[in-house]
mmCIF file of all heavy atoms in Angstrom:
data_model
loop_
_atom_site.group_PDB
_atom_site.id
_atom_site.type_symbol
_atom_site.label_atom_id
_atom_site.label_comp_id
_atom_site.label_asym_id
_atom_site.label_seq_id
_atom_site.Cartn_x
_atom_site.Cartn_y
_atom_site.Cartn_z
ATOM 1 N N ASN A 1 23.026 -67.623 28.280
ATOM 2 C CA ASN A 1 22.493 -68.392 29.300
ATOM 3 C C ASN A 1 23.540 -68.899 30.252
ATOM 4 O O ASN A 1 23.354 -69.128 31.462
ATOM 5 C CB ASN A 1 21.705 -69.445 28.675
ATOM 6 C CG ASN A 1 20.232 -69.095 28.380
ATOM 7 O OD1 ASN A 1 19.358 -69.142 29.158
ATOM 8 N ND2 ASN A 1 20.060 -68.655 27.081
ATOM 9 N N GLY A 2 24.730 -69.288 29.647
ATOM 10 C CA GLY A 2 25.836 -69.738 30.480
ATOM 11 C C GLY A 2 26.272 -68.721 31.482
ATOM 12 O O GLY A 2 26.522 -69.005 32.680
ATOM 13 N N VAL A 3 26.333 -67.517 31.037
ATOM 14 C CA VAL A 3 26.667 -66.300 31.930
ATOM 15 C C VAL A 3 25.634 -66.128 33.021
ATOM 16 O O VAL A 3 25.959 -66.045 34.196
ATOM 17 C CB VAL A 3 26.834 -65.076 31.085
ATOM 18 C CG1 VAL A 3 26.981 -63.795 32.024
ATOM 19 C CG2 VAL A 3 28.081 -65.107 30.154
ATOM 20 N N ILE A 4 24.317 -66.155 32.596
ATOM 21 C CA ILE A 4 23.282 -65.908 33.572
ATOM 22 C C ILE A 4 23.284 -67.058 34.590
ATOM 23 O O ILE A 4 23.212 -66.776 35.838
ATOM 24 C CB ILE A 4 21.910 -65.845 32.818
ATOM 25 C CG1 ILE A 4 21.817 -64.528 32.065
ATOM 26 C CG2 ILE A 4 20.755 -65.978 33.759
ATOM 27 C CD1 ILE A 4 21.753 -63.301 32.980
ATOM 28 N N ASN A 5 23.292 -68.332 34.102
ATOM 29 C CA ASN A 5 23.224 -69.454 35.040
ATOM 30 C C ASN A 5 24.459 -69.463 35.959
ATOM 31 O O ASN A 5 24.383 -69.747 37.175
ATOM 32 C CB ASN A 5 23.128 -70.735 34.291
ATOM 33 C CG ASN A 5 21.686 -71.078 33.898
ATOM 34 O OD1 ASN A 5 20.789 -71.381 34.651
ATOM 35 N ND2 ASN A 5 21.456 -70.908 32.605
ATOM 36 N N GLY A 6 25.665 -69.182 35.413
ATOM 37 C CA GLY A 6 26.836 -69.197 36.186
ATOM 38 C C GLY A 6 26.810 -68.132 37.256
ATOM 39 O O GLY A 6 27.159 -68.414 38.426
ATOM 40 N N LEU A 7 26.453 -66.922 36.946
ATOM 41 C CA LEU A 7 26.454 -65.794 37.845
ATOM 42 C C LEU A 7 25.301 -66.065 38.889
ATOM 43 O O LEU A 7 25.416 -65.649 40.063
ATOM 44 C CB LEU A 7 26.221 -64.489 37.189
ATOM 45 C CG LEU A 7 27.426 -63.943 36.434
ATOM 46 C CD1 LEU A 7 27.145 -62.623 35.745
ATOM 47 C CD2 LEU A 7 28.578 -63.711 37.398
ATOM 48 N N THR A 8 24.142 -66.673 38.485
ATOM 49 C CA THR A 8 23.111 -66.928 39.395
ATOM 50 C C THR A 8 23.560 -67.904 40.508
ATOM 51 O O THR A 8 23.282 -67.659 41.711
ATOM 52 C CB THR A 8 21.880 -67.543 38.655
ATOM 53 O OG1 THR A 8 21.398 -66.553 37.721
ATOM 54 C CG2 THR A 8 20.755 -67.910 39.594
ATOM 55 N N TYR A 9 24.289 -68.937 40.158
ATOM 56 C CA TYR A 9 24.770 -69.873 41.143
ATOM 57 C C TYR A 9 25.982 -69.377 41.904
ATOM 58 O O TYR A 9 26.158 -69.718 43.092
ATOM 59 C CB TYR A 9 25.074 -71.254 40.475
ATOM 60 C CG TYR A 9 23.729 -71.976 40.212
ATOM 61 C CD1 TYR A 9 23.231 -71.931 38.868
ATOM 62 C CD2 TYR A 9 23.109 -72.584 41.170
ATOM 63 C CE1 TYR A 9 22.075 -72.603 38.652
ATOM 64 C CE2 TYR A 9 21.857 -73.178 40.926
ATOM 65 C CZ TYR A 9 21.274 -73.195 39.628
ATOM 66 O OH TYR A 9 20.136 -73.900 39.377
ATOM 67 N N LEU A 10 26.761 -68.483 41.264
ATOM 68 C CA LEU A 10 27.780 -67.763 42.026
ATOM 69 C C LEU A 10 27.124 -66.869 43.091
ATOM 70 O O LEU A 10 27.600 -66.792 44.297
ATOM 71 C CB LEU A 10 28.661 -66.936 41.126
ATOM 72 C CG LEU A 10 29.733 -66.057 41.786
ATOM 73 C CD1 LEU A 10 30.689 -66.896 42.551
ATOM 74 C CD2 LEU A 10 30.415 -65.194 40.742
ATOM 75 N N ALA A 11 25.990 -66.290 42.754
ATOM 76 C CA ALA A 11 25.290 -65.466 43.745
ATOM 77 C C ALA A 11 24.722 -66.358 44.892
ATOM 78 O O ALA A 11 24.680 -65.964 46.017
ATOM 79 C CB ALA A 11 24.144 -64.762 43.095
ATOM 80 N N GLY A 12 24.397 -67.622 44.480
ATOM 81 C CA GLY A 12 23.942 -68.483 45.476
ATOM 82 C C GLY A 12 25.098 -68.859 46.497
ATOM 83 O O GLY A 12 24.875 -69.022 47.684
ATOM 84 N N VAL A 13 26.337 -69.047 45.903
ATOM 85 C CA VAL A 13 27.463 -69.273 46.772
ATOM 86 C C VAL A 13 27.691 -68.100 47.723
ATOM 87 O O VAL A 13 27.766 -68.294 48.955
ATOM 88 C CB VAL A 13 28.729 -69.432 45.869
ATOM 89 C CG1 VAL A 13 29.990 -69.444 46.761
ATOM 90 C CG2 VAL A 13 28.677 -70.675 45.059
ATOM 91 N N LEU A 14 27.735 -66.871 47.227
ATOM 92 C CA LEU A 14 28.031 -65.742 48.066
ATOM 93 C C LEU A 14 26.803 -65.495 49.008
ATOM 94 O O LEU A 14 27.073 -65.055 50.192
ATOM 95 C CB LEU A 14 28.152 -64.467 47.175
ATOM 96 C CG LEU A 14 29.384 -64.554 46.195
ATOM 97 C CD1 LEU A 14 29.454 -63.269 45.353
ATOM 98 C CD2 LEU A 14 30.699 -64.696 47.018
ATOM 99 N N GLY A 15 25.619 -65.754 48.578
ATOM 100 C CA GLY A 15 24.419 -65.594 49.531
ATOM 101 C C GLY A 15 24.457 -66.547 50.602
ATOM 102 O O GLY A 15 24.212 -66.209 51.778
ATOM 103 N N THR A 16 24.836 -67.835 50.303
ATOM 104 C CA THR A 16 24.917 -68.844 51.364
ATOM 105 C C THR A 16 26.005 -68.514 52.319
ATOM 106 O O THR A 16 25.813 -68.642 53.575
ATOM 107 C CB THR A 16 25.056 -70.222 50.756
ATOM 108 O OG1 THR A 16 24.081 -70.483 49.795
ATOM 109 C CG2 THR A 16 25.053 -71.313 51.767
ATOM 110 N N VAL A 17 27.231 -68.172 51.751
ATOM 111 C CA VAL A 17 28.280 -67.810 52.666
ATOM 112 C C VAL A 17 27.995 -66.604 53.500
ATOM 113 O O VAL A 17 28.203 -66.593 54.691
ATOM 114 C CB VAL A 17 29.592 -67.505 51.771
ATOM 115 C CG1 VAL A 17 30.691 -66.882 52.681
ATOM 116 C CG2 VAL A 17 30.095 -68.783 51.130
ATOM 117 N N GLY A 18 27.365 -65.550 52.828
ATOM 118 C CA GLY A 18 27.021 -64.369 53.540
ATOM 119 C C GLY A 18 26.030 -64.640 54.711
ATOM 120 O O GLY A 18 26.141 -64.096 55.789
ATOM 121 N N ALA A 19 25.049 -65.561 54.462
ATOM 122 C CA ALA A 19 24.103 -65.863 55.476
ATOM 123 C C ALA A 19 24.749 -66.556 56.654
ATOM 124 O O ALA A 19 24.400 -66.336 57.785
ATOM 125 C CB ALA A 19 22.959 -66.712 54.845
ATOM 126 N N VAL A 20 25.649 -67.545 56.273
ATOM 127 C CA VAL A 20 26.330 -68.280 57.360
ATOM 128 C C VAL A 20 27.171 -67.296 58.192
ATOM 129 O O VAL A 20 27.106 -67.321 59.483
ATOM 130 C CB VAL A 20 27.285 -69.309 56.723
ATOM 131 C CG1 VAL A 20 28.219 -69.855 57.809
ATOM 132 C CG2 VAL A 20 26.494 -70.451 56.107
ATOM 133 N N LEU A 21 27.873 -66.356 57.531
ATOM 134 C CA LEU A 21 28.665 -65.432 58.304
ATOM 135 C C LEU A 21 27.891 -64.460 59.105
ATOM 136 O O LEU A 21 28.173 -64.123 60.313
ATOM 137 C CB LEU A 21 29.627 -64.657 57.336
ATOM 138 C CG LEU A 21 30.667 -65.401 56.633
ATOM 139 C CD1 LEU A 21 31.428 -64.578 55.632
ATOM 140 C CD2 LEU A 21 31.645 -66.039 57.624
ATOM 141 N N LEU A 22 26.736 -64.006 58.579
ATOM 142 C CA LEU A 22 25.861 -63.061 59.294
ATOM 143 C C LEU A 22 25.204 -63.791 60.425
ATOM 144 O O LEU A 22 25.078 -63.223 61.592
ATOM 145 C CB LEU A 22 24.839 -62.524 58.292
ATOM 146 C CG LEU A 22 25.343 -61.451 57.288
ATOM 147 C CD1 LEU A 22 24.287 -61.175 56.255
ATOM 148 C CD2 LEU A 22 25.759 -60.222 57.950
ATOM 149 N N ALA A 23 24.722 -65.051 60.202
ATOM 150 C CA ALA A 23 24.064 -65.791 61.284
ATOM 151 C C ALA A 23 25.091 -66.077 62.414
ATOM 152 O O ALA A 23 24.773 -65.998 63.590
ATOM 153 C CB ALA A 23 23.519 -67.103 60.734
ATOM 154 N N TRP A 24 26.324 -66.415 61.986
ATOM 155 C CA TRP A 24 27.320 -66.671 63.016
ATOM 156 C C TRP A 24 27.774 -65.452 63.780
ATOM 157 O O TRP A 24 27.974 -65.440 65.009
ATOM 158 C CB TRP A 24 28.564 -67.253 62.348
ATOM 159 C CG TRP A 24 29.723 -67.584 63.281
ATOM 160 C CD1 TRP A 24 29.822 -68.546 64.194
ATOM 161 C CD2 TRP A 24 30.990 -66.819 63.337
ATOM 162 N NE1 TRP A 24 31.053 -68.447 64.860
ATOM 163 C CE2 TRP A 24 31.748 -67.433 64.304
ATOM 164 C CE3 TRP A 24 31.441 -65.701 62.610
ATOM 165 C CZ2 TRP A 24 33.084 -66.890 64.637
ATOM 166 C CZ3 TRP A 24 32.724 -65.206 62.915
ATOM 167 C CH2 TRP A 24 33.480 -65.799 63.899
ATOM 168 N N GLY A 25 27.877 -64.318 63.105
ATOM 169 C CA GLY A 25 28.442 -63.085 63.675
ATOM 170 C C GLY A 25 27.428 -62.283 64.411
ATOM 171 O O GLY A 25 27.758 -61.591 65.385
ATOM 172 N N LEU A 26 26.193 -62.286 63.965
ATOM 173 C CA LEU A 26 25.128 -61.400 64.528
ATOM 174 C C LEU A 26 24.038 -62.118 65.320
ATOM 175 O O LEU A 26 23.192 -61.430 65.902
ATOM 176 C CB LEU A 26 24.584 -60.546 63.403
ATOM 177 C CG LEU A 26 25.481 -59.592 62.696
ATOM 178 C CD1 LEU A 26 24.779 -58.906 61.530
ATOM 179 C CD2 LEU A 26 26.053 -58.581 63.699
ATOM 180 N N SER A 27 24.023 -63.434 65.255
ATOM 181 C CA SER A 27 22.997 -64.116 66.020
ATOM 182 C C SER A 27 23.059 -63.770 67.467
ATOM 183 O O SER A 27 24.170 -63.707 68.059
ATOM 184 C CB SER A 27 23.212 -65.682 65.840
ATOM 185 O OG SER A 27 22.268 -66.404 66.567
ATOM 186 N N PRO A 28 21.965 -63.528 68.146
ATOM 187 C CA PRO A 28 20.541 -63.640 67.701
ATOM 188 C C PRO A 28 19.940 -62.352 67.077
ATOM 189 O O PRO A 28 18.763 -62.266 66.950
ATOM 190 C CB PRO A 28 19.781 -63.995 68.926
ATOM 191 C CG PRO A 28 20.500 -63.243 70.018
ATOM 192 C CD PRO A 28 21.951 -63.180 69.604
ATOM 193 N N HIS A 29 20.731 -61.367 66.754
ATOM 194 C CA HIS A 29 20.252 -60.171 66.193
ATOM 195 C C HIS A 29 20.095 -60.228 64.700
ATOM 196 O O HIS A 29 20.818 -59.617 63.935
ATOM 197 C CB HIS A 29 21.192 -59.010 66.541
ATOM 198 C CG HIS A 29 21.502 -58.869 68.023
ATOM 199 N ND1 HIS A 29 20.522 -58.596 68.972
ATOM 200 C CD2 HIS A 29 22.657 -59.167 68.768
ATOM 201 C CE1 HIS A 29 21.106 -58.583 70.157
ATOM 202 N NE2 HIS A 29 22.338 -58.972 70.067
ATOM 203 N N TYR A 30 19.093 -60.988 64.274
ATOM 204 C CA TYR A 30 18.935 -61.273 62.813
ATOM 205 C C TYR A 30 18.417 -60.003 62.110
ATOM 206 O O TYR A 30 18.530 -59.949 60.886
ATOM 207 C CB TYR A 30 18.002 -62.420 62.636
ATOM 208 C CG TYR A 30 18.643 -63.747 62.832
ATOM 209 C CD1 TYR A 30 18.760 -64.353 64.115
ATOM 210 C CD2 TYR A 30 19.233 -64.395 61.746
ATOM 211 C CE1 TYR A 30 19.357 -65.556 64.251
ATOM 212 C CE2 TYR A 30 19.839 -65.643 61.921
ATOM 213 C CZ TYR A 30 19.883 -66.250 63.154
ATOM 214 O OH TYR A 30 20.521 -67.409 63.397
ATOM 215 N N ALA A 31 17.775 -59.077 62.838
ATOM 216 C CA ALA A 31 17.313 -57.845 62.126
ATOM 217 C C ALA A 31 18.503 -57.064 61.547
ATOM 218 O O ALA A 31 18.368 -56.491 60.456
ATOM 219 C CB ALA A 31 16.539 -56.994 63.108
ATOM 220 N N LEU A 32 19.607 -57.061 62.239
ATOM 221 C CA LEU A 32 20.803 -56.409 61.806
ATOM 222 C C LEU A 32 21.315 -57.066 60.507
ATOM 223 O O LEU A 32 21.734 -56.397 59.590
ATOM 224 C CB LEU A 32 21.916 -56.349 62.829
ATOM 225 C CG LEU A 32 21.622 -55.469 64.104
ATOM 226 C CD1 LEU A 32 22.740 -55.663 65.154
ATOM 227 C CD2 LEU A 32 21.379 -54.020 63.777
ATOM 228 N N ALA A 33 21.326 -58.415 60.551
ATOM 229 C CA ALA A 33 21.703 -59.139 59.384
ATOM 230 C C ALA A 33 20.762 -58.843 58.192
ATOM 231 O O ALA A 33 21.281 -58.773 56.957
ATOM 232 C CB ALA A 33 21.707 -60.592 59.642
ATOM 233 N N ALA A 34 19.498 -58.716 58.417
ATOM 234 C CA ALA A 34 18.555 -58.491 57.326
ATOM 235 C C ALA A 34 18.687 -57.112 56.683
ATOM 236 O O ALA A 34 18.247 -56.951 55.515
ATOM 237 C CB ALA A 34 17.141 -58.609 57.848
ATOM 238 N N ILE A 35 19.391 -56.163 57.319
ATOM 239 C CA ILE A 35 19.645 -54.878 56.743
ATOM 240 C C ILE A 35 20.463 -55.045 55.457
ATOM 241 O O ILE A 35 20.307 -54.349 54.518
ATOM 242 C CB ILE A 35 20.275 -53.949 57.782
ATOM 243 C CG1 ILE A 35 19.259 -53.595 58.861
ATOM 244 C CG2 ILE A 35 20.808 -52.702 57.049
ATOM 245 C CD1 ILE A 35 19.911 -52.754 59.989
ATOM 246 N N THR A 36 21.350 -56.059 55.518
ATOM 247 C CA THR A 36 22.176 -56.340 54.306
ATOM 248 C C THR A 36 21.276 -56.628 53.071
ATOM 249 O O THR A 36 21.600 -56.217 51.970
ATOM 250 C CB THR A 36 23.105 -57.532 54.587
ATOM 251 O OG1 THR A 36 23.842 -57.274 55.757
ATOM 252 C CG2 THR A 36 23.983 -57.854 53.431
ATOM 253 N N CYS A 37 20.197 -57.283 53.363
ATOM 254 C CA CYS A 37 19.252 -57.683 52.242
ATOM 255 C C CYS A 37 18.642 -56.452 51.686
ATOM 256 O O CYS A 37 18.385 -56.264 50.472
ATOM 257 C CB CYS A 37 18.111 -58.634 52.756
ATOM 258 S SG CYS A 37 18.755 -60.262 53.258
ATOM 259 N N VAL A 38 18.328 -55.430 52.565
ATOM 260 C CA VAL A 38 17.773 -54.154 52.087
ATOM 261 C C VAL A 38 18.794 -53.430 51.188
ATOM 262 O O VAL A 38 18.457 -52.932 50.063
ATOM 263 C CB VAL A 38 17.412 -53.293 53.250
ATOM 264 C CG1 VAL A 38 16.899 -51.935 52.794
ATOM 265 C CG2 VAL A 38 16.258 -53.928 54.095
ATOM 266 N N VAL A 39 20.011 -53.447 51.577
ATOM 267 C CA VAL A 39 21.110 -52.785 50.817
ATOM 268 C C VAL A 39 21.237 -53.405 49.458
ATOM 269 O O VAL A 39 21.320 -52.762 48.420
ATOM 270 C CB VAL A 39 22.419 -52.781 51.523
ATOM 271 C CG1 VAL A 39 23.545 -52.226 50.715
ATOM 272 C CG2 VAL A 39 22.253 -51.970 52.924
ATOM 273 N N VAL A 40 21.317 -54.774 49.458
ATOM 274 C CA VAL A 40 21.518 -55.501 48.203
ATOM 275 C C VAL A 40 20.340 -55.227 47.234
ATOM 276 O O VAL A 40 20.440 -55.112 46.037
ATOM 277 C CB VAL A 40 21.749 -56.960 48.424
ATOM 278 C CG1 VAL A 40 21.716 -57.784 47.150
ATOM 279 C CG2 VAL A 40 23.026 -57.217 49.206
ATOM 280 N N SER A 41 19.085 -55.267 47.837
ATOM 281 C CA SER A 41 17.894 -54.996 47.040
ATOM 282 C C SER A 41 17.898 -53.607 46.402
ATOM 283 O O SER A 41 17.574 -53.438 45.258
ATOM 284 C CB SER A 41 16.610 -55.175 47.927
ATOM 285 O OG SER A 41 15.495 -54.952 47.148
#
């Protein structure tokens, strides 16, 4: 559970950073940013 919770919140860190960078770099072309979500999925 420590591993799962730790990695889950680490994913939260990377997801938040990634969203910030994508929003900053690709705004207003959010569809291009959303392609990243397809790849990760």
